[in-house]
Amino acid sequence: MTEACSPSELDSSLAELNKHSNGAWCIKDGKLHREFSFPDFVAAFAFMAKVALLAERANHHPEWFNVYNKVVVDLTTHDADGISSKDFDLAREMSE
């Protein structure tokens, strides 16, 4: 079973993630959260398709929502009952 990050691990992992993501990730409602904007729907959908393959490979799936050129992502590890290293790994891949 995967363990949730401690508060200090959350702070340091979030700071490290945001060094390469322009500070776009935050903790919202107990989940790792980010909103992505793209030029249009096709670009947003292409992003989602690419991330879907990464998520399936990792067996770790995002909660997300798409409207036109925006994709809102929330990451949490349900079996850890919180944010885990799996969430930060997927967030890093999404940010690339």
Side-chain angles (χ1 to χ4, degrees), residues 10-32:
L10 275 177
D11 291 342
S12 63
S13 295
L14 185 60
E16 182 65 28
L17 176 62
N18 278 328
K19 274 203 273 187
H20 308 287
S21 305
N22 300 321
W25 289 94
C26 66
I27 306 296
K28 182 176 178 183
D29 299 326
K31 299 175 183 179
L32 192 55

Short mmCIF file of all heavy atoms in Angstrom, two decimals, residues 10-32:
data_model
loop_
_atom_site.label_atom_id
_atom_site.label_comp_id
_atom_site.label_asym_id
_atom_site.label_seq_id
_atom_site.Cartn_x
_atom_site.Cartn_y
_atom_site.Cartn_z
N LEU A 10 4.97 17.00 1.76
CA LEU A 10 4.09 17.74 0.84
C LEU A 10 4.71 19.08 0.48
O LEU A 10 4.78 19.44 -0.70
CB LEU A 10 2.72 17.98 1.47
CG LEU A 10 1.68 16.90 1.36
CD1 LEU A 10 0.42 17.30 2.10
CD2 LEU A 10 1.37 16.57 -0.08
N ASP A 11 5.17 19.82 1.49
CA ASP A 11 5.75 21.14 1.25
C ASP A 11 6.98 21.06 0.36
O ASP A 11 7.10 21.81 -0.61
CB ASP A 11 6.12 21.82 2.58
CG ASP A 11 4.90 22.23 3.39
OD1 ASP A 11 3.79 22.31 2.82
OD2 ASP A 11 5.07 22.46 4.60
N SER A 12 7.88 20.15 0.67
CA SER A 12 9.12 20.06 -0.13
C SER A 12 8.85 19.53 -1.53
O SER A 12 9.43 20.02 -2.51
CB SER A 12 10.17 19.23 0.59
OG SER A 12 9.76 17.89 0.75
N SER A 13 7.97 18.55 -1.66
CA SER A 13 7.66 18.00 -2.99
C SER A 13 6.94 19.03 -3.86
O SER A 13 7.20 19.12 -5.06
CB SER A 13 6.80 16.74 -2.86
OG SER A 13 7.52 15.71 -2.22
N LEU A 14 6.03 19.80 -3.25
CA LEU A 14 5.32 20.83 -3.99
C LEU A 14 6.29 21.92 -4.45
O LEU A 14 6.22 22.37 -5.60
CB LEU A 14 4.20 21.42 -3.14
CG LEU A 14 3.30 22.44 -3.83
CD1 LEU A 14 2.58 21.84 -5.04
CD2 LEU A 14 2.28 22.99 -2.83
N ALA A 15 7.19 22.33 -3.58
CA ALA A 15 8.18 23.35 -3.96
C ALA A 15 9.06 22.85 -5.10
O ALA A 15 9.32 23.59 -6.06
CB ALA A 15 9.04 23.71 -2.75
N GLU A 16 9.50 21.60 -5.05
CA GLU A 16 10.33 21.03 -6.11
C GLU A 16 9.55 20.95 -7.42
O GLU A 16 10.07 21.29 -8.48
CB GLU A 16 10.82 19.64 -5.69
CG GLU A 16 11.73 18.98 -6.68
CD GLU A 16 13.05 19.70 -6.89
OE1 GLU A 16 13.54 20.38 -5.97
OE2 GLU A 16 13.61 19.60 -8.00
N LEU A 17 8.31 20.49 -7.36
CA LEU A 17 7.47 20.39 -8.55
C LEU A 17 7.28 21.77 -9.19
O LEU A 17 7.38 21.92 -10.40
CB LEU A 17 6.11 19.78 -8.19
CG LEU A 17 5.05 19.69 -9.28
CD1 LEU A 17 5.52 18.80 -10.42
CD2 LEU A 17 3.74 19.18 -8.68
N ASN A 18 7.02 22.77 -8.37
CA ASN A 18 6.74 24.10 -8.89
C ASN A 18 7.97 24.84 -9.41
O ASN A 18 7.84 25.80 -10.15
CB ASN A 18 6.00 24.94 -7.85
CG ASN A 18 4.53 24.64 -7.86
OD1 ASN A 18 3.95 24.32 -8.91
ND2 ASN A 18 3.89 24.72 -6.72
N LYS A 19 9.17 24.36 -9.05
CA LYS A 19 10.39 24.96 -9.62
C LYS A 19 10.39 24.81 -11.14
O LYS A 19 10.92 25.65 -11.84
CB LYS A 19 11.64 24.27 -9.06
CG LYS A 19 12.11 24.85 -7.75
CD LYS A 19 13.58 24.57 -7.53
CE LYS A 19 13.79 23.24 -6.88
NZ LYS A 19 15.20 23.01 -6.50
N HIS A 20 9.80 23.74 -11.61
CA HIS A 20 9.79 23.44 -13.05
C HIS A 20 8.42 23.67 -13.69
O HIS A 20 8.23 23.38 -14.86
CB HIS A 20 10.24 22.00 -13.27
CG HIS A 20 11.53 21.69 -12.59
ND1 HIS A 20 12.74 22.15 -13.04
CD2 HIS A 20 11.80 20.99 -11.46
CE1 HIS A 20 13.70 21.75 -12.23
NE2 HIS A 20 13.15 21.04 -11.27
N SER A 21 7.46 24.16 -12.90
CA SER A 21 6.09 24.31 -13.40
C SER A 21 5.55 25.72 -13.22
O SER A 21 4.34 25.92 -13.18
CB SER A 21 5.16 23.34 -12.66
OG SER A 21 5.62 22.03 -12.76
N ASN A 22 6.41 26.68 -13.05
CA ASN A 22 6.00 28.08 -12.88
C ASN A 22 5.02 28.28 -11.72
O ASN A 22 4.13 29.12 -11.79
CB ASN A 22 5.38 28.63 -14.17
CG ASN A 22 6.35 28.58 -15.32
OD1 ASN A 22 7.53 28.84 -15.14
ND2 ASN A 22 5.87 28.24 -16.50
N GLY A 23 5.15 27.48 -10.68
CA GLY A 23 4.30 27.65 -9.50
C GLY A 23 2.84 27.34 -9.73
O GLY A 23 1.98 27.80 -8.98
N ALA A 24 2.54 26.56 -10.75
CA ALA A 24 1.14 26.34 -11.13
C ALA A 24 0.41 25.31 -10.27
O ALA A 24 -0.80 25.33 -10.20
CB ALA A 24 1.08 25.92 -12.60
N TRP A 25 1.13 24.39 -9.62
CA TRP A 25 0.49 23.36 -8.80
C TRP A 25 0.25 23.89 -7.40
O TRP A 25 1.05 24.66 -6.86
CB TRP A 25 1.36 22.11 -8.73
CG TRP A 25 1.43 21.35 -10.00
CD1 TRP A 25 2.39 21.46 -10.98
CD2 TRP A 25 0.52 20.36 -10.47
NE1 TRP A 25 2.13 20.60 -12.01
CE2 TRP A 25 0.99 19.90 -11.72
CE3 TRP A 25 -0.65 19.80 -9.93
CZ2 TRP A 25 0.31 18.92 -12.45
CZ3 TRP A 25 -1.31 18.82 -10.66
CH2 TRP A 25 -0.83 18.39 -11.91
N CYS A 26 -0.86 23.47 -6.78
CA CYS A 26 -1.17 23.84 -5.40
C CYS A 26 -1.91 22.69 -4.75
O CYS A 26 -2.28 21.72 -5.40
CB CYS A 26 -2.00 25.11 -5.35
SG CYS A 26 -3.66 24.96 -6.04
N ILE A 27 -2.10 22.80 -3.46
CA ILE A 27 -2.94 21.84 -2.74
C ILE A 27 -4.31 22.51 -2.58
O ILE A 27 -4.42 23.60 -2.05
CB ILE A 27 -2.37 21.50 -1.34
CG1 ILE A 27 -0.91 21.03 -1.44
CG2 ILE A 27 -3.26 20.48 -0.64
CD1 ILE A 27 -0.70 19.75 -2.20
N LYS A 28 -5.34 21.84 -3.09
CA LYS A 28 -6.70 22.38 -3.01
C LYS A 28 -7.63 21.24 -2.62
O LYS A 28 -7.66 20.21 -3.28
CB LYS A 28 -7.10 22.96 -4.37
CG LYS A 28 -8.47 23.59 -4.40
CD LYS A 28 -8.75 24.22 -5.75
CE LYS A 28 -10.15 24.81 -5.79
NZ LYS A 28 -10.47 25.36 -7.11
N ASP A 29 -8.36 21.45 -1.56
CA ASP A 29 -9.31 20.44 -1.06
C ASP A 29 -8.63 19.09 -0.83
O ASP A 29 -9.19 18.04 -1.12
CB ASP A 29 -10.50 20.28 -2.02
CG ASP A 29 -11.30 21.55 -2.17
OD1 ASP A 29 -11.40 22.31 -1.18
OD2 ASP A 29 -11.83 21.80 -3.28
N GLY A 30 -7.38 19.13 -0.34
CA GLY A 30 -6.66 17.91 -0.02
C GLY A 30 -6.13 17.15 -1.22
O GLY A 30 -5.74 15.99 -1.11
N LYS A 31 -6.09 17.82 -2.37
CA LYS A 31 -5.60 17.18 -3.61
C LYS A 31 -4.57 18.08 -4.26
O LYS A 31 -4.59 19.30 -4.10
CB LYS A 31 -6.77 16.95 -4.57
CG LYS A 31 -7.83 16.03 -4.00
CD LYS A 31 -9.02 15.93 -4.91
CE LYS A 31 -10.10 15.06 -4.25
NZ LYS A 31 -11.27 14.94 -5.08
N LEU A 32 -3.67 17.46 -5.01
CA LEU A 32 -2.72 18.21 -5.82
C LEU A 32 -3.48 18.73 -7.03
O LEU A 32 -4.10 17.96 -7.76
CB LEU A 32 -1.58 17.27 -6.23
CG LEU A 32 -0.33 17.86 -6.82
CD1 LEU A 32 0.28 18.93 -5.93
CD2 LEU A 32 0.69 16.76 -7.07
#
